[in-house]
Amino acid sequence: MLYASRLSIVAVTLVALTFGATHAAVNYFGLTFPDTIAGTRIGPVTDFEETNPGLGYSVRYDKPGWIINVYIYDDRLGPIPGELDADVVKSQLEQARGDIVALQRSGSYTNVSFNRSYVLRDAAGKARFLCADYTFARKDMGNVDSFLCLTSWNGQFVKFRLTTGERASSAREAAAFVNAWRGVLWPK
């Protein structure tokens, strides 16, 4: 009986450690990904750079009901210019939009609908992020709102992908997360 109780305690502790695991801030290409930002906590990192140079890194941010990934990479096109109206930046946004359509073709997404494209600006009116919003269905989540934003920083692309179940507040929440990165990317 005592042995079974100890096993139960160990099992509960392992589950708590697994699901309560926290990750520390990381730095890639000079960008420090904070451990917390806009109500999210840093999660696992995926290193694409080691096996596919140019694809960089993906950092997951955890928030209940959301899938949030921030990518930093140069797609072997670097250094990436800092202006959002540069052809290479606009082309990269179109490529990312095409990736969403390709996921529909592969069957991962259904009913993909492009909603709008727009620019997020800082308080001075400077364009900081090129964005596009979608709705579609995912097998694992049902109908979702999905947000794609891209910027260039320090010779790299920085891309944001945020997806959550359909709801009225999702666009506001996604914009708040992306806008919080202004202080990280361009501190005053």
Side-chain angles (χ1 to χ4, degrees):
M1 183 74 150
L2 183 59
Y3 179 73
S5 294
R6 285 185 186 161
L7 282 178
S8 296
I9 290 170
V10 169
V12 168
T13 302
L14 288 174
V15 169
L17 288 173
T18 300
F19 290 105
T22 58
H23 300 271
V26 294
N27 186 298
Y28 298 108
F29 303 121
L31 176 59
T32 298
F33 290 77
D35 57 349
T36 60
I37 187 166
T40 67
R41 178 168 289 291
I42 198 169
V45 172
T46 303
D47 178 351
F48 298 109
E49 193 69 18
E50 185 175 326
T51 56
N52 293 293
L55 295 186
Y57 302 88
S58 169
V59 178
R60 168 77 54 108
Y61 277 87
D62 296 325
K63 181 176 181 176
W66 284 85
I67 298 171
I68 301 172
N69 288 290
V70 181
Y71 303 85
I72 187 166
Y73 61 101
D74 71 0
D75 208 16
R76 299 183 91 172
L77 301 170
I80 308 306
E83 299 78 32
L84 294 184
D85 61 352
D87 287 342
V88 68
V89 177
K90 292 188 292 187
S91 293
Q92 189 62 207
L93 181 66
E94 288 308 309
Q95 180 179 328
R97 289 182 60 186
D99 293 344
I100 293 170
V101 172
L103 285 165
Q104 176 173 272
R105 281 191 216 113
S106 75
S108 296
Y109 298 165
T110 58
N111 301 320
V112 171
S113 177
F114 168 73
N115 296 332
R116 65 183 178 131
S117 61
Y118 54 99
V119 175
L120 292 177
R121 299 177 182 279
D122 64 18
K126 181 173 178 155
R128 292 298 189 176
F129 304 97
L130 302 176
C131 301
D133 295 356
Y134 293 84
T135 56
F136 49 84
R138 288 176 52 129
K139 292 177 184 176
D140 60 342
M141 294 178 72
N143 293 334
V144 299
D145 295 327
S146 189
F147 307 90
L148 164 66
C149 290
L150 180 75
T151 194
S152 57
W153 175 86
N154 199 30
Q156 302 289 319
F157 295 114
V158 180
K159 179 171 64 178
F160 302 83
R161 285 291 314 270
L162 301 94
T163 301
T164 189
E166 281 185 322
R167 64 176 177 275
S169 64
S170 63
R172 186 178 69 253
E173 292 176 52
F177 178 82
V178 174
N179 278 321
W181 281 83
R182 289 191 324 231
V184 174
L185 298 168
W186 306 284
K188 293 184 181 190

